[in-house]
Each structure stands twice: as structure tokens, then as C-alpha cells.
Amino acid sequence: MIMKTNQQSRRNFLISSGLGTAGLLLTFSIPTACSRKLGGSREIQDFNAYLGIGKDGTVRVILSHVEMGQGIWTTLPMLIAEELDCDWKKIIVTHAPPGEPYIHTSYGVQMTGSSSSTYSEFDRYRMAGATARAMLISAAATRLGIDPSNCTTDSGHVLAGDRKIVYGELVEDAGKLTAPEQVSLKDPKDWKYIGTSMKRLDGKVKINGQAEYGLDKDLPGLQIAVVAHPPFFGAKVISYDATECLSINGVSQVVQIPTGLAVLATNFWSAKKGRDVLQVEWDLPVNSVTTTTQFEAYRNLAKSKGIVTQESGNVSEGLATSNTKLEMEYCLPYLAHACMEPMNCTIDFDGQQAEIWAGVQMPMEDRKKASEVLGIPEGQIQLHTLFMGGAFGRRTTFDSDFVVEAAHIAKTVRKPIKLVWTREDDMRAGYYRAAFLHDVKVGLDKNGHPQAWQHRVVGQSIHEQGTPFSAFVKNGIDGTSVEGARNSRYLDHTPHISIELHSTKNEVPVLWWRSVGHSHIAFAMESAIDELAHAAGKDPVAYRRELLDSKRHLATLNLAAEKSGWGKRLPDGHYQGIAVHESFRSYVAHVVEVSLENGKPKVQKVTCAIDCGLAVNPDGVKAQMEGGIIFGLSAALYGEITMDNGSAVQSNFHDYQMVRMSDAPKIEVFIVDSEEQMGGAGEPCVPPVAPALTNAIFAATGTRIRTLPVMTHLIL
Amino acid sequence: MKLTVNNKSYDLDVDPDMPLLWALRDVLKLTGTKYGCGIAQCGACTVHLDGNPIRSCVTPVQAIGEAKITTIEGLSENTDHPVQQAWLEVDVPQCGYCQSGQIMTAAALLEKNPHPDDAAIDAAMSGNICRCGTYERIRKAIHMAGQPLNKDV
């Protein structure tokens, strides 16, 4: 994703990455709390927009980023607790409302994504904690008639000699003070929380049914809305007959909205039954996408030069003069996000004011889009972000699709409504990782190293559809379409390079999907490198070491190779493949170990090494690696949405399969001890999974899989 | 329509073909049991029917009769069922959405087989999808939860 600097944020916050600012005296202004409706009965004194403390010592951390499973509900509180020096057991956490103080420090919108939450908040949340601690110390010093320099803190207490005052007793006085403009942060050697594995603060509510997800929202008189969506992308309602639908027990009304017809009922089952018998005539699709012909068209496009995104030397000459020339084509299908919790949104709109409850990754943008539909100012709308049953990019839609759909319904019915998408809606109504074709031609020199690399990427652009980041499509190049190929470190010493892009357009809506462009680029790059290694007669790890100068690539490559026992004797019938890829400022290498069962690959084990710089919560990083490996394997083995005349063929988990317990390999994760720039965790683990798998399959069978998913194409 | 859920009796005025999932969620407001697929493919809706794990999304309320239903809310009073304790110890959940179903399936497995091997875990748990991919930890937690029960055998 492309970086956007927010000037307001830049003025207010000193952003660092890594350990550079720790222990220094920092000057900044931390925004005070923005107005919001406070829930619960506890009286909490807000110290700033990110942190409040109650008289009972409760510390409430307000999250600028949303919890989708990635663990930010725990990591941001760790940053606060580190500097506030509070009692970990007294922390409660809440999602922030839409508000200026919660705008992303780099991206200029309030959003959670790009695996950036931890590093982008590393200073802001530590400073929020340090400021509040300074105010508590100041209040204690005044009360005791001593200089603040004679005070220290420990686990929610200010200490001065033999005096000890709990934070709760000081919040009223401290809250009246002006926040200091200078504060020093702890020296890393004194860290208690940062770098130590902490258990999830949302763990308990997620194992006893108490966690409230968007789909769980209830209100008095709530009507459930199930929508009949178009059977083809872009189709519109011509006419409909709701007679039978309205006869279903519990169904109250049918409402036409821009995206179809909403059936409202007292419960989901009635609404769905109503939808099932709704008679709708849709118009026919135009210029519709069918997967087979789409790839044929992409293949033809790849025969011509695309927009050049990186160029050096003369690639045609380099290919012509090479010792060995390899031509490879990699194809990747559309993929659904398939969050376990289908899309949903609850709105209570009375014509003047609205309240919205949903799991969304860009709450401020969603509120804005809702206000446009409802015809009321944003200030008249409260948006509450609830827990998300997965997101993977799906809940960051630039058109706020499901929120807007709910707003259209709410605007018409003026009663509390909850829009519920069925699994079939979720899988067939869109947003997908785009299908891509990579045409790669490489010429090797006498050492077997690439002297010419021509890479044509063909597929739909995310940003050209009109995202908040569209300004970053430059000269027709959506950077996310070529990220990971453009400026690849494998090509540091390649004299002739041409990385080209054909951005295609059609009506299938595409979106960022966990690891965005890297999700397809890494498959092409790491498969190609593996093919070159074999063409050059070299070991895939040794070959990568020859090409890579990058210290961090090498650190993860070497660690994964060592820990997996690369090159050593494996159990009979086991074979390994490796891949390493940089994305979202982190470096991840996987070694996938496979065997063959009934002519199909069985993934036995995955060994992962990550360098994300400082790992604030190491067990959280491990959890993301474990999960990302399974996510990547699901896509590589099974993931495919095929299009038939503008309609998604797959509809539910029976035909869009996931890795289940019986296919889940043993996973070992190793974190590089690193003081390099901090990076992300949620996404960087995904890209190297597919190529490491297909490289292992090649090692096992000599069959090179260049088209995903593996299981539909492979008979070994 | 009478239902016994978590040892409480309810009299429901719903269509007999309504799946138990929606009776629990929309009528009884027990939202810990989740909707994931509606066709018994993902296991997010798993509850116990007389101790056996069933997919509530495809079980009509009329089919339940006198059987006793247990949901995640009724598994323990204080979130202290051995499976829940192990889940916390291993820090299993990520998004958490599938975990009610995973826990109910695991609890039923351990009731019948207090120390399952990996093959038994595969067989029992493969109906439950976790999109966050927490399988490694689920497996570890099931082995861990089996430990104290072993001592009682």
C-alpha cells in the first residue's frame, strides 16, 4: 500500500521506528480526548484521546486501530502500560469512535491495515502513557509537597520514600493539570512489557460467548434485513413480485435499494425464507467475465509491452545474449476473503440522528459514506466498532459497501435494522483478490545468474476503482499491482530489467486481500527464482544466497533453512521447498515440507523465520505467523473463485474450501533477534507460503505448479 | 415449541422449521453460538444436544423434542471448563468468531475420549473451520485439557 503523510499527524507526533527515540526527552503534543458518549457506569478521567483512568484504578485504553484477530487489543495496551507503569490486570480496552486523534500516523485516514498498527503507534501510545504518568507524578508531588523528581512509580502507584499513593486517588487532581509538552520514554533495558509475550486481553470473552461481534448486536424492535443481491455483477432489478415473500410469517416489508431488494423480518430465518421466494427479474449482464476467456485475454495482453514500472539496461538485448533463457507464466485466480463472520451492519436511524454498529477497518470513512446516504451531518452519527470475525482487508471497502447498503435500508424503514449477509452473499457479492497473470522471461549469464528479467504483470488495479489512496496511482501504475517485483532485491545485480504492468478493467470488484499485491507477486518471484536455481543446477537456498545482498532477507532465509534441517536427511518421502519475501517492512522465510498421499501433496510441516525488527508481543507475532501460514495454504491448495459470465461460481465452504484440522501441518516459528526497523506481522507471513509449497512439490515430483490452486490442477 | 437450553426451559413461538441456531440467536438472544455457513460446513454453530455436538444451523427446532441443549454460555459458570482453561493457557483465539464452535466440539470429544491422539483430534475437529488458522494451538489446548481428566480416569 502507498504511504500518505498526514501533515496534522506529522506536526503532532514524532514518529520513530525501532528503538531510536527511547530514553530521549521528546517534545510533542498529545491530543486531548475527543467528545464521545461513554458507556458503563465507571467514572473515568480521560488523560488524552488514548487513555483514561478511573478512581478505582481502572485504566481504559482507547484503540485507534480495530481488533480483527491480529491482537492489537493487547499490543497497544502493552505500549501504554510500559510507560504508564500501571497494573496490567486493571486494563480495559475499547475501540475508538471516529475521530481526528485516531487518524493513522502515516496513511491520513482512520484505518487499520497494511500490518502497520504496532509500528505506527509505537511512539504515540508510549507517549500517551508517559504523559499520563507524568501528570500523576505531578499531582502526587503537589499533594506531598515534594519535587516530582523525588517520585517514582510502580504497578499503578506513585512512590515517594515510604509514601505510596494509588493512581486512582490521584486521577481527579492529575486530570486538571495541563499535559506536559516534554516527556522522556523508558530506556529499552527497563522495559517490562515490550518484548515480553503477553496473553490476549480479549482471550476470555472470546471463549465464553461474551465477545460482541457486529452480527451479535441487538436492539429493541430490531428488524433483520436479508438482501437479494444481483446474480451478476452490475445487474439491476427490472421488476419484482413480493406477494409470496410477504406471506412468510415474520416478514414485514420489502425495500428496493440500489444493490437489490431487502427483505425485513423479525428474525433472520424469516427474512431468508422471504428472500428465497421473492420473484425478481434482473437485467442481463454486459461484457461479463468468464475465467477461462479472461486468462486467454490476459495471455494476449502479456504479448505486448505494458507500462514500464522499473527499467534498466536493454532487456531484449539481455535476453538475446543470455546463456540460458527461461519463459514462465504464472496464473492466480480470484480469491474471496471468506471472513468467518459474514458482512453485517446495524443502524438505528430516526430521521435526525443515527447510531451504527459494525465491524469496520475505516470507521471515519464509513461514517462519512453513511451520512451521505442518510442525508444527515457526520456529527449526527455515532459509529461503534465491534469485534470482527476476521477481516483480511474485506472490511476496508472504499465504498463502504455493506454500511451503505444498511444505510439505504435504514433510511427507508426508519426502524432499527440489522443487515445480515448470508455466507452465499459474502462469497458471491464481491470483493475479491484480483486474478493475475505473470509473464516472466529471464536470461541467465554464464554463472547461472539473471542478466535479463522481463516481467509483465496483468490484472485489475485496486486503486483505480477510486480508493482514498487513488492519488497514488502514478503514471497509470498502481504500485500495489507490482509491489515485490518492482525493485526486487534479487535483481540488485541484474543489468537488464523491465518490470511492466497491464492494468485491466472489468465489473468484478477487487480489493486488498491479506498481503495485497504481494499475495500474487511473491508466488511469481519465488517460483521463478526456484526455477532459475534448478536451471543453474544449484541448491535453491545456496542460489538465493548468491543473489541476495540484503542482510534481512539472508537472516530469515538462513534461520528457516537451519531450523528446518534444510539439506539434511528428511523422513522418507518428505521433500522441502523454500521461499523468502519482504513485505510490509518485514521479512519472512518459510520452508514447507510435503509428502505425497494418494497422488496429492500433504503438507507435513512449515518452518517460519521472521524479522519484523522489535517484536513487541513475541507470542502475538508467532500467532500471526501460524495463522498466516494456514491462510496462505488455504489459498494455495484450494482457493479459487471462478467467474462464469459475470457471476461467482463458488458460494460456500463446500466449494470454496479451507485448510481444516486434518490438513493443518505442524508449524514452528522463529523470530530473528533484530534491532532493525520495525515492520508488520499480520500480512508478511502470507506471501511466501504458496511458492514454498509449490517449490516443495517440485522437489518431490519434478512437476512445476505455475497455476494456483494446487489441488484443482494437480494429479501427481 | 418447548426447548431446554442450558438447563432452562423456554416456550418459543417460532416456525417449527426454524434452525436451532436462529432460535438461540434471534429469539433467546444467546449470541455466543455463531452463524458461519448455514449448511453444516464450518462448525461455528456447534452446540451440544444431550452432550453430542450438533450443527445448530441445520437442526430445525421441531427435531429437538425433549433433548437438552447446551451452548457455549452454559458450558461453565465461570469460564472454567477444562477446555476453556486450556484455551486461555495456550492463548488460542485470534478473531475468536469460530471458537465457541471449536470449544463445544472439543469438549464433546474429551467427554468421550479424555486423551485423544492426533488422529482422534483430526477426526473430531475437522468439521470446524478456523479462518485465522489457530489449529496448531487448538490441538495443543485439547492435549492440555485432556491432562487433568486423565488423572481422574
Side-chain angles (χ1 to χ4, degrees):
Chain A
M1 205 176 279
I2 299 154
M3 298 289 279
K4 179 179 179 180
T5 302
N6 179 267
Q7 293 306 323
Q8 183 66 26
S9 303
R10 284 284 173 191
R11 273 204 301 279
N12 281 345
F13 313 113
L14 255 172
I15 304 308
S16 77
S17 50
L19 315 181
T21 58
L24 298 176
L25 199 63
L26 297 172
T27 302
F28 66 99
S29 76
I30 201 105
T32 48
C34 64
S35 65
R36 66 173 160 269
K37 196 169 152 187
L38 301 178
S41 56
R42 281 200 188 95
E43 199 181 322
I44 300 241
Q45 171 69 50
D46 282 324
F47 280 73
N48 49 57
Y50 316 105
L51 162 62
I53 306 176
K55 287 180 179 172
D56 63 354
T58 299
V59 173
R60 186 179 60 199
V61 175
I62 298 138
L63 293 187
S64 54
H65 296 259
V66 299
E67 177 58 52
M68 328 182 272
Q70 83 281 36
I72 208 66
W73 198 265
T74 307
T75 313
L76 293 187
M78 286 173 72
L79 300 177
I80 296 250
E82 189 64 70
E83 295 294 337
L84 179 61
D85 210 3
C86 61
D87 181 351
W88 181 252
K89 292 194 177 70
K90 295 217 164 169
I91 292 176
I92 59 170
V93 187
T94 179
H95 283 133
E100 291 287 329
Y102 309 110
I103 287 175
H104 194 289
T105 58
S106 298
Y107 289 99
V109 294
Q110 186 177 349
M111 63 88 88
T112 304
S114 278
S115 301
S116 62
S117 299
T118 301
Y119 72 74
S120 72
E121 296 294 5
F122 190 62
D123 285 355
R124 185 154 76 172
Y125 273 70
R126 284 190 303 153
M127 287 173 181
T131 311
R133 176 176 175 271
M135 291 159 78
L136 291 161
I137 284 179
S138 185
T142 302
R143 186 180 295 185
L144 298 171
I146 59 173
D147 191 86
S149 65
N150 294 323
C151 298
T152 182
T153 57
D154 182 46
S155 294
H157 297 79
V158 176
L159 310 178
D162 57 357
R163 300 291 302 274
K164 189 174 180 180
I165 311 175
V166 296
Y167 284 178
E169 283 182 24
L170 296 166
V171 293
E172 201 165 343
D173 292 348
K176 291 174 189 152
L177 301 173
T178 306
E181 293 215 338
Q182 287 197 318
V183 70
S184 60
L185 297 175
K186 274 187 182 175
D187 191 300
K189 72 175 166 47
D190 298 325
W191 283 343
K192 280 166 60 180
Y193 296 103
I194 295 173
T196 301
S197 290
M198 298 298 290
K199 287 223 163 71
R200 297 181 69 107
L201 289 170
D202 56 354
K204 191 172 178 183
V205 296
K206 287 181 172 177
I207 61 163
N208 62 16
Q210 285 176 9
E212 190 180 34
Y213 298 84
L215 206 58
D216 301 333
K217 184 64 199 171
D218 189 35
L219 291 168
L222 185 69
Q223 292 272 302
I224 307 295
V226 173
V227 172
H229 287 113
F232 307 98
F233 292 108
K236 299 282 176 208
V237 174
I238 293 174
S239 65
Y240 70 97
D241 178 355
T243 314
E244 196 182 349
C245 171
L246 289 167
S247 73
I248 301 284
N249 188 24
V251 172
S252 57
Q253 67 186 113
V254 174
V255 175
Q256 186 163 357
I257 54 173
T259 47
L261 294 157
V263 178
L264 288 120
T266 51
N267 64 81
F268 171 88
W269 185 244
S270 295
K272 184 181 171 296
K273 275 168 72 174
R275 185 183 71 170
D276 289 346
V277 297
L278 192 61
Q279 303 294 315
V280 192
E281 187 188 352
W282 303 92
D283 64 359
L284 290 173
V286 283
N287 301 324
S288 293
V289 176
T290 294
T291 291
T292 47
T293 52
Q294 181 180 40
F295 275 111
E296 280 308 312
Y298 282 12
R299 194 162 289 127
N300 281 329
L301 264 179
K303 287 175 184 160
S304 61
K305 192 173 175 117
I307 296 174
V308 175
T309 74
Q310 182 192 355
E311 188 168 37
S312 61
N314 181 328
V315 83
S316 305
E317 207 170 283
L319 286 170
T321 60
S322 60
N323 278 38
T324 312
K325 193 174 152 192
L326 290 90
E327 298 188 2
M328 297 149 295
E329 179 192 279
Y330 302 102
C331 295
L332 301 98
Y334 287 107
L335 294 172
H337 299 75
C339 308
M340 287 309 293
E341 179 197 15
M343 299 304 111
N344 62 85
C345 178
T346 301
I347 302 187
D348 185 2
F349 176 58
D350 65 4
Q352 306 294 321
Q353 312 247 349
E355 268 192 279
I356 301 176
W357 295 263
V360 288
Q361 292 173 260
M362 288 200 290
M364 201 188 266
E365 302 300 304
D366 292 322
R367 185 178 66 169
K368 188 173 159 195
K369 289 286 194 306
S371 89
E372 289 165 8
V373 173
L374 296 173
I376 57 173
E378 288 172 65
Q380 302 297 106
I381 301 175
Q382 288 184 52
L383 186 148
H384 311 275
T385 306
L386 302 180
F387 278 127
M388 271 154 261
F392 317 118
R394 178 61 183 85
R395 300 181 202 270
T396 329
T397 49
F398 40 87
D399 61 356
S400 301
D401 63 337
F402 55 90
V403 174
V404 162
E405 189 169 86
H408 279 292
I409 300 165
K411 188 181 184 181
T412 307
V413 305
R414 303 273 170 107
K415 280 184 250 179
I417 64 103
K418 176 162 70 177
L419 168 68
V420 179
W421 281 22
T422 63
R423 172 59 56 197
E424 289 78 8
D425 293 324
D426 198 273
M427 205 161 279
R428 302 192 70 203
Y431 288 113
Y432 304 102
R433 198 286 306 277
F436 271 90
L437 181 143
H438 291 250
D439 182 282
V440 185
K441 292 184 171 61
V442 183
L444 299 181
D445 63 19
K446 61 182 183 337
N447 297 317
H449 293 176
Q451 71 169 32
W453 189 292
Q454 178 188 290
H455 195 144
R456 289 178 178 155
V457 181
V458 187
Q460 288 167 261
S461 158
I462 297 169
H463 289 107
E464 282 180 7
Q465 299 169 111
T467 74
F469 314 101
S470 297
F472 298 95
V473 178
K474 284 186 180 147
N475 306 319
I477 300 166
D478 179 341
T480 65
S481 293
V482 290
E483 60 189 357
R486 182 158 62 161
N487 303 322
S488 165
R489 298 302 304 272
Y490 281 115
L491 308 183
D492 280 356
H493 302 293
T494 299
H496 307 288
I497 301 170
S498 185
I499 311 290
E500 303 162 25
L501 174 65
H502 289 280
S503 279
T504 59
K505 281 195 165 45
N506 66 56
E507 72 279 18
V508 178
V510 296
L511 194 63
W512 25 67
W513 177 98
R514 195 174 186 175
S515 77
V516 197
H518 298 281
S519 70
H520 56 93
I521 300 269
F523 178 64
M525 290 302 296
E526 284 295 318
S527 294
I529 291 292
D530 215 67
E531 299 206 37
L532 304 191
H534 289 287
K538 296 182 181 181
D539 171 77
V541 170
Y543 185 72
R544 283 172 171 81
R545 285 182 190 136
E546 286 178 21
L547 297 187
L548 289 168
D549 287 338
S550 158
K551 193 171 86 177
R552 301 181 74 183
H553 280 94
L554 287 168
T556 50
L557 179 78
N558 290 333
L559 186 60
E562 178 206 327
K563 297 292 185 184
S564 67
W566 183 268
K568 301 218 169 88
R569 188 179 166 83
L570 296 171
D572 283 347
H574 285 210
Y575 300 87
Q576 290 180 327
I578 195 162
V580 57
H581 191 77
E582 172 200 358
S583 63
F584 306 94
R585 311 205 326 187
S586 287
Y587 300 72
V588 176
H590 296 313
V591 173
V592 169
E593 190 171 315
V594 299
S595 62
L596 300 174
E597 283 183 10
N598 305 319
K600 298 277 183 186
K602 161 92 178 160
V603 182
Q604 296 286 348
K605 185 181 167 189
V606 180
T607 307
C608 162
I610 175 169
D611 175 0
C612 58
L614 170 71
V616 171
N617 188 5
D619 194 54
V621 171
K622 276 186 73 176
Q624 285 305 294
M625 296 304 108
E626 292 161 5
I629 287 165
I630 298 294
F631 194 92
L633 283 176
S634 283
L637 289 168
Y638 307 113
E640 181 173 35
I641 295 286
T642 40
M643 296 296 165
D644 179 16
N645 198 25
S647 182
V649 173
Q650 290 76 15
S651 61
N652 206 318
F653 293 123
H654 66 291
D655 56 7
Y656 191 77
Q657 293 195 41
M658 302 281 139
V659 165
R660 293 166 180 270
M661 181 64 89
S662 51
D663 322 299
K666 181 175 167 53
I667 296 173
E668 288 187 345
V669 178
F670 300 90
I671 301 174
V672 175
D673 188 10
S674 169
E675 293 194 354
E676 301 285 341
Q677 183 189 54
M678 285 171 77
E683 292 168 277
C685 44
V686 175
V689 174
L693 170 66
T694 52
N695 293 344
I697 292 170
F698 180 81
T701 64
T703 303
R704 176 61 65 180
I705 308 293
R706 296 197 183 97
T707 299
L708 294 181
V710 166
M711 287 301 198
T712 52
H713 297 273
L714 184 69
I715 308 292
L716 294 170
Chain B
M1 192 78 57
K2 288 196 189 316
L3 277 185
T4 307
V5 182
N6 300 333
N7 295 320
K8 274 192 206 165
S9 295
Y10 297 91
D11 207 347
L12 274 65
D13 178 20
V14 300
D15 287 350
D17 68 344
M18 178 186 274
L20 174 62
L21 172 65
W22 301 107
L24 293 171
R25 289 183 57 83
D26 286 353
V27 184
L28 301 182
K29 313 296 183 189
L30 292 168
T31 53
T33 305
K34 300 304 186 197
Y35 166 65
C37 69
I39 57 168
Q41 287 289 311
C42 79
C45 67
T46 306
V47 300
H48 293 176
L49 193 73
D50 285 339
N52 295 310
I54 59 148
R55 306 300 183 222
S56 65
C57 73
V58 292
T59 307
V61 287
Q62 66 188 353
I64 289 163
E66 302 286 309
K68 290 188 167 58
I69 296 150
T70 307
T71 70
I72 188 71
E73 290 91 346
L75 186 65
S76 67
E77 290 233 344
N78 303 303
T79 318
D80 55 1
H81 185 281
V83 170
Q84 289 170 313
Q85 288 177 327
W87 245 245
L88 274 187
E89 183 57 32
V90 180
D91 227 11
V92 173
Q94 290 189 24
C95 88
Y97 192 79
C98 76
Q99 298 297 345
S100 297
Q102 304 277 3
I103 288 167
M104 295 309 283
T105 306
L109 164 66
L110 288 165
E111 195 62 41
K112 289 204 165 64
N113 179 358
H115 39 85
D117 60 12
D118 280 344
I121 292 174
D122 283 351
M125 300 302 296
S126 286
N128 290 74
I129 293 173
C130 174
R131 184 66 168 139
C132 299
T134 63
Y135 301 118
E136 176 100 352
R137 291 182 189 228
I138 290 173
R139 187 184 299 282
K140 192 174 169 190
I142 291 174
H143 283 306
M144 186 180 285
Q147 294 306 314
L149 292 177
N150 288 349
K151 289 172 194 162
D152 298 336
V153 171

